[in-house]
Amino acid sequence: MRMLVVGAGATGGYFGGRLALAGRDVTFLVRGKRAAALRSEGMEIITPSGLLKLQPQIVEAGEITRPYDVILIAVKAFALGSVLEALAPAVGENTLIMPILNGMKHLEVLTERFGKNVVIGGLCKIAGTLDERGRIVQLSPLHEMTYGELDGSASERITRLDRLFQNAGFNARLSLNIISEMWEKWLLLASLGAITCLMRGNIGQVASAPGGDEFARAVIDEVLAVLVSVGYIRREEYLQQTIGLLTQKESVQTSSMYRDLMQGYEIEADQVIGDLVSIAGRGGLSVPLLRATSVNLSVYRAARDNI
């Protein structure tokens, strides 16, 4: 299967690079500056177990001449709109589009643009970043990718995709309930993002502050209420795991949005927090902590845009 990976940052570069090193036919769709750097210097991935190097196949917008079998979309969620036209020539009748973006809005955007039959569900779990030299840095051993048909079926095409991802240097898993798993990732990600961004600290710092544990639990309750209102079926075991993870006083965990914020980067505020606030508003739900987080992040973005 020919794969096009849209984006070669910390997420797309890591998983796409691993797949390429495992012998899969992988091409990266990237923009000018990143494309030039990758062509001249190659791609480097710094992992907890060592350094990986490869010379990736690269295309830029306007250079795609025929469809790909799989398109893995791994840009930041706020950049999705800007890549739709560039990847359109890569979409054929039998192409699978697998986004691993945060939130859920992207499914609606992609199905409206390319049709529901083309899009499958996907998510990844990895802590990564780009360093000052553009190298991909895996910050912990966690590297998981999960995928599945939106209707939960074990189709021939999803089974074929599963074979492509197996034994490629990361943990890959086919899910027959991918939508529920995407809801649960959003629950964790939004709660983690709101806790760390609003309080400007890691999980342990917040949990150790007076009232911090109660604050974290209240944030989780708000996110959960919103997701349940639009179809998520609460799983008590997962909820308790999430609460435990986000109230550990010894934890140094932060969200990728918090790390981006602290470095002055653009952030996924609308996709991770803003969409939840919008859903709550339509459903008449009270979410004061999520609204406070949304205002906080809006102030940050406005200040950043004016620099």
Side-chain angles (χ1 to χ4, degrees):
M1 299 179 78
R2 297 175 62 246
M3 174 178 287
L4 181 68
V5 179
V6 183
T11 301
Y14 182 82
F15 288 107
R18 284 284 196 179
L19 286 161
L21 287 168
R24 311 308 195 262
D25 184 352
V26 176
T27 300
F28 293 90
L29 173 62
V30 290
R31 293 176 176 171
K33 185 177 179 181
R34 182 66 169 158
L38 291 173
R39 285 186 173 119
S40 64
E41 302 171 18
M43 178 181 287
E44 293 187 351
I45 305 173
I46 302 172
T47 79
S49 57
L51 176 65
L52 305 174
K53 295 184 178 181
L54 68 148
Q55 191 62 49
Q57 298 184 82
I58 300 294
V59 292
E60 296 183 59
E63 296 179 349
I64 298 173
T65 58
R66 62 193 179 104
Y68 286 77
D69 298 306
V70 183
I71 300 174
L72 180 68
I73 303 180
V75 296
K76 290 287 189 179
F78 55 73
L80 177 60
S82 68
V83 302
L84 291 179
E85 292 307 314
L87 67 84
V91 182
E93 183 178 351
N94 297 312
T95 299
L96 290 181
I97 299 178
M98 177 180 157
I100 48 174
L101 279 61
N102 293 327
M104 297 286 276
K105 185 73 172 180
H106 58 275
L107 293 180
E108 179 182 332
V109 172
L110 289 168
T111 55
E112 286 182 356
R113 177 66 176 80
F114 299 110
K116 187 173 183 179
N117 188 56
V118 174
V119 182
I120 63 172
L123 61 90
C124 68
K125 295 179 182 179
I126 186 169
T129 188
L130 292 182
D131 68 10
E132 67 282 354
R133 293 169 51 187
R135 299 179 300 179
I136 298 157
V137 182
Q138 183 189 6
L139 299 174
S140 76
L142 179 68
H143 54 176
E144 299 178 0
M145 184 180 290
T146 308
Y147 38 87
E149 294 280 10
L150 296 178
D151 64 3
S153 64
S155 65
E156 188 279 332
R157 66 179 190 174
I158 204 70
T159 303
R160 187 180 177 207
L161 182 69
D162 183 43
R163 291 196 296 268
L164 180 75
F165 285 146
Q166 293 301 319
N167 304 308
F170 55 85
N171 298 324
R173 181 172 58 85
L174 172 60
S175 171
L176 300 182
N177 196 14
I178 190 64
I179 290 293
S180 179
E181 296 200 41
M182 291 173 70
W183 287 128
E184 290 179 344
K185 183 183 177 183
W186 198 7
L187 171 62
L188 174 62
L189 196 68
S191 300
L192 176 60
I195 292 165
T196 56
C197 289
L198 189 57
M199 292 300 154
R200 296 296 197 272
N202 64 41
I203 287 300
Q205 290 171 325
V206 176
S208 299
D213 183 279
E214 292 83 355
F215 163 75
R217 291 170 183 269
V219 168
I220 296 168
D221 284 345
E222 288 189 7
V223 178
L224 177 64
V226 176
L227 297 185
V228 167
S229 76
V230 287
Y232 169 60
I233 299 175
R234 168 178 175 155
R235 285 200 309 127
E236 193 62 32
E237 180 182 1
Y238 182 82
L239 177 60
Q240 293 308 314
Q241 290 175 352
T242 301
I243 293 171
L245 187 67
L246 300 185
T247 56
Q248 289 181 3
K249 292 185 178 181
E250 300 79 18
S251 175
V252 296
Q253 185 177 17
T254 60
S255 67
S256 58
M257 186 162 63
Y258 171 82
R259 295 191 294 272
D260 287 343
L261 182 150
M262 297 305 290
Q263 295 178 79
Y265 297 160
E266 177 61 280
I267 57 175
E268 297 177 314
D270 290 341
Q271 295 77 19
V272 175
I273 302 297
D275 282 347
L276 290 172
V277 172
S278 297
I279 294 170
R282 293 194 294 271
L285 299 176
S286 177
V287 287
L289 296 177
L290 290 178
R291 289 188 181 279
T293 304
S294 182
V295 172
N296 184 295
L297 298 178
S298 294
V299 171
Y300 162 79
R301 295 173 68 195
R304 179 182 178 276
D305 291 343
N306 290 329
I307 294 176

